């Protein structure tokens, strides 16, 4: 039996854009707005809301918002889904100023995505499917889509557009890009079904 100690495996270096690369900040909530999230203003305050299709998404988003110092609540919708929303707070006013042109949502100049923003988008509106992973978009946000698509490509996730009559509007990340997506969004939240998170076995 050899007495030579095994060579230690090199420590994995987190990607510059992954969830491990930085602490949670309010700017991460731009990930919700890249998808179907909405932002509204009232005076010097703002709030963010998003409608989700499963209870596990509610749990994840409330926890993620709380980790950024923003309490959130939820309520059922008439179509059987759930609306997660923050209270109006001055903490979100800068995000609203960056994303709203009047009352219309538009990505700000130099908009970008990273692991924490993608994690929130995946938690709110991501769906695993045989062809890859689908990230749902806001149906009324068509002017935002080219900017968001370019931001996906910039982090190594070129995506195909899914038409509304095929389960969209959404962007689909597939093939060998799935490992990149899994690296960026990080470990599956405890409440998320294994089959609903990037990197989980199919």
């Amino acid at each position: 039996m050899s007495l030579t100690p095994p060579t230690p495996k090199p420590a994995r270096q987190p990607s510059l854009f992954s969830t491990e690369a930085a602490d949670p900040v309010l700017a991460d909530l731009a990930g919700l707005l890249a998808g179907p999230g909405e932002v509204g203003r009232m005076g010097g305050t703002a709030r963010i809301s998003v409608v989700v299709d499963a209870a596990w998404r509610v749990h994840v988003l409330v926890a993620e918002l709380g980790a950024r110092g923003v309490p959130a609540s939820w309520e059922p919708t008439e179509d059987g889904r759930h609306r997660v929303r923050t209270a109006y707070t001055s903490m979100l006013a800068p995000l609203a100023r960056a994303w709203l042109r009047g009352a219309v949502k538009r990505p700000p100049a130099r908009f970008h995505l990273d692991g924490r923003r993608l994690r929130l988008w995946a938690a709110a509106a991501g769906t695993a499917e045989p062809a890859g992973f689908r990230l749902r978009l806001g149906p009324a946000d068509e002017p935002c889509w080219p900017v968001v698509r370019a931001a996906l490509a910039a982090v190594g996730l070129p995506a195909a557009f899914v038409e509304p009559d095929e389960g969209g509007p959404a962007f689909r990340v597939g093939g060998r890009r799935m490992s990149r997506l899994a690296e960026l969004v990080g470990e599956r939240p405890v409440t998320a079904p294994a089959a609903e998170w990037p990197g989980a076995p199919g």
Side-chain angles (χ1 to χ4, degrees), residues 94-118:
L95 198 63
R97 285 195 296 270
W99 276 83
L100 290 178
R101 306 294 180 267
V104 180
K105 188 176 85 172
R106 293 288 185 275
R110 296 190 294 275
F111 170 69
H112 69 279
L113 289 166
D114 57 23
R116 293 197 178 279
R117 295 181 181 197
L118 282 163

Side-chain angles (χ1 to χ4, degrees), residues 132-201:
F133 195 81
R134 189 172 72 237
L135 291 161
R136 189 163 52 86
L137 298 161
D141 297 339
E142 186 170 353
C144 301
W145 300 345
V147 177
V148 174
R149 190 176 196 175
L152 282 168
V155 292
L157 298 173
F161 181 69
V162 181
E163 297 287 348
D165 60 357
E166 297 175 350
F171 289 129
R172 179 185 291 121
V173 176
R176 58 192 178 89
R177 303 296 181 180
M178 285 296 294
S179 60
R180 172 63 173 163
L181 178 61
E183 175 192 16
L184 287 169
V185 300
E187 293 185 1
R188 175 176 62 90
V190 174
T191 57
E196 289 293 331
W197 197 252

Side-chain angles (χ1 to χ4, degrees), residues 33 36-41 46-49 88 92-93 95-97 99-100 102-106:
L33 301 180
E38 299 177 354
V39 59
R41 283 187 288 207
R47 78 173 175 191
I48 288 177
S49 64
Y88 280 102
L92 296 175
L95 198 63
R97 285 195 296 270
W99 276 83
L100 290 178
V104 180
K105 188 176 85 172
R106 293 288 185 275

Side-chain angles (χ1 to χ4, degrees), residues 73-98:
S73 60
W74 68 276
E75 62 183 7
T77 62
E78 292 183 357
D79 60 0
R81 296 185 293 170
H82 317 275
R83 178 177 286 104
V84 178
R85 64 185 179 190
T86 71
Y88 280 102
T89 171
S90 59
M91 295 170 60
L92 296 175
L95 198 63
R97 285 195 296 270

